[in-house]
Each structure stands twice: as C-alpha cells, then as structure tokens.
Amino acid sequence: MTTTALTEDMALRIGLAARALPDTTPARLMAVLADCIGLPPNAEKLDTLSIKQLRNGASGELADCDNSVLKTALAYLKGTASTDSLPPPAPQSPLTNAEGSDPEGVIRVAIASNNGELLDGHFGSCERFLVYQVSLDQVRLIDCREIDDRQADDDKNGYRAGLIADCQLLYVVSVGGPAAAKVVKHNIHPIKVPDGGAAPALIAELQQIIGDKTPPWLAKIMGQPAESRVRFTAEALEE
C-alpha cells in the first residue's frame, strides 16, 4: 500500500475500515479508493464516497460484502465511527527461522495501547502492549499482551517491563524516569510520541528509518555488524 501524502489520521481510518471488511487488507481497500475517489484519499474526497461506490469500485472488489459491513467501513473512512474502546486486532503467528527464533534483521516493537491498533497509552496506565515483528519489508502483529497490575508484586514498572522483555523498542505516549529505567534494564529502547497515533503509521516511519540510514543505536539493536554502525555514524557526521 502506498502511503504517500497520507496523514496519521487517514492511515488510521483506512486501517480500521479494512479491518471491518472481510478478507480485506489496507492495500486492497486503497485500490478501491483509488478507483472511486483517486489518490491520495483525504477527508474532502471521502465525504463524497457512497456505499454504492465502495461496493462497485475496482471492478466490484467489495461486491460480496453486506451493506451493514460496508456502512461500518464507510463510517471509519469518514471519521464518524467511534474509536473508543476498540478491541485489539487479532495477532498473527510470528515469523521464525529454522531454529525457531526471530529471523535475521527482524526486531520486536511494543506499542502502549488502550484502543484498537493505536499508540495512545502511557507506560504506567496503558491496558495492553501490542507487539510487532518489524523488518525493512515486513510488519507482523504477533501478540496483544493484556496488563493486569494485580500481578505486579509491588513493582508495577518492573512487571510491565517484564511483559515486553523480548522486545527491542517500546513506543509510549509518555514514561516517567523510574519506569524508563526499568525498561532500559531489559535492554528495551523507549521512544516517546506525546501525540500518539496509528501504530501502523508509526511502524511505517520506523521502516523508512531502517531503509534510509539506520542510526547507530538502532543498527546495534538490529544486530548489524560494527563496521556498518561506524559507517552510519561517519555519514551522519558528514551531513
């Protein structure tokens, strides 16, 4: 799916609408939208979109969908559907190599979330962590880890950090100093995004960083050889 000129809000709308449609990926939905209203989609164009157009777009790509399903998807696209208390998306099986470990070049990213596939949680109060496997060309949601602070044994921050101990990166809206220390103790790099946003859009940005010039700290996390990390540093100094 091309994400050129898509805002985080628009990426979220398309992602939620695709999830509301059976057997539909964001890329498939984008093909329908391209035929109906042209690319890139925006709020003004989507306001003119009808259920009939959605059903008939891209040679009837969504022709088999019920009207009620199309109505829900259209509400997400137009931004009129509530995103409060959205359930987390269904995870997929993790990618593994022959030894059963994560393949080379794949990192695990945790997202502090309260609703759907959003980064909208503070480390100390979020309801769950969404865990993704991320590489340059793949993204896979592999777990939705619900949080029960009653299991914390008087160390809520340590308990929460332990839930994502297999991850290398953590995205949060905010995290306090003592909590961040517990996260770092597990060799997890915390990244604060105060405005939050759609998890897929944030991960797409991460993939862009990986694809362009991986910063040394991320290259180390991804297991890239030392000579590559030195090269990245040298290039950064030259700019």
Side-chain angles (χ1 to χ4, degrees), residues 20-31:
L21 296 164
D23 303 317
T24 302
T25 63
R28 184 182 175 194
L29 180 55
M30 282 288 281

Side-chain angles (χ1 to χ4, degrees), residues 4 24 29-30 39 46 59 102 104 119 143 155 189 213 234:
T4 302
T24 302
L29 180 55
M30 282 288 281
L39 297 180
L46 289 170
S59 301
D102 288 355
E104 184 178 352
L119 166 62
D143 208 356
D155 184 5
H189 187 95
K213 290 184 178 180

Side-chain angles (χ1 to χ4, degrees), residues 155-208:
D155 184 5
K156 185 175 77 170
N157 291 332
Y159 159 71
R160 286 173 172 252
L163 286 177
I164 53 171
D166 58 334
C167 298
Q168 289 78 49
L169 297 181
L170 166 66
Y171 280 82
V172 292
V173 170
S174 70
V175 59
K182 292 290 178 72
V183 170
V184 172
K185 187 176 180 180
H186 283 278
N187 296 314
I188 305 167
H189 187 95
I191 299 174
K192 291 195 291 186
V193 184
D195 293 332
L202 293 167
I203 289 177
E205 292 177 5
L206 174 63
Q207 286 182 298
Q208 187 67 43

Side-chain angles (χ1 to χ4, degrees), residues 99-154:
E99 290 75 34
S101 304
D102 288 355
E104 184 178 352
V106 171
I107 59 174
R108 294 195 178 198
V109 179
I111 303 281
S113 182
N114 294 310
N115 294 294
E117 204 166 0
L118 293 174
L119 166 62
D120 61 352
H122 301 257
F123 179 79
S125 62
C126 64
E127 295 183 6
R128 65 186 62 91
F129 292 114
L130 307 178
V131 177
Y132 296 83
Q133 284 182 317
V134 181
S135 67
L136 177 59
D137 56 2
Q138 293 194 70
V139 176
R140 182 170 294 217
L141 175 67
I142 61 169
D143 208 356
C144 298
R145 298 177 185 171
E146 300 294 332
I147 299 169
D148 181 2
D149 286 327
R150 293 173 297 180
Q151 302 179 33
D153 293 331
D154 298 324

Side-chain angles (χ1 to χ4, degrees), residues 91-102:
Q92 300 171 279
S93 300
L95 299 167
T96 59
N97 57 24
E99 290 75 34
S101 304
D102 288 355

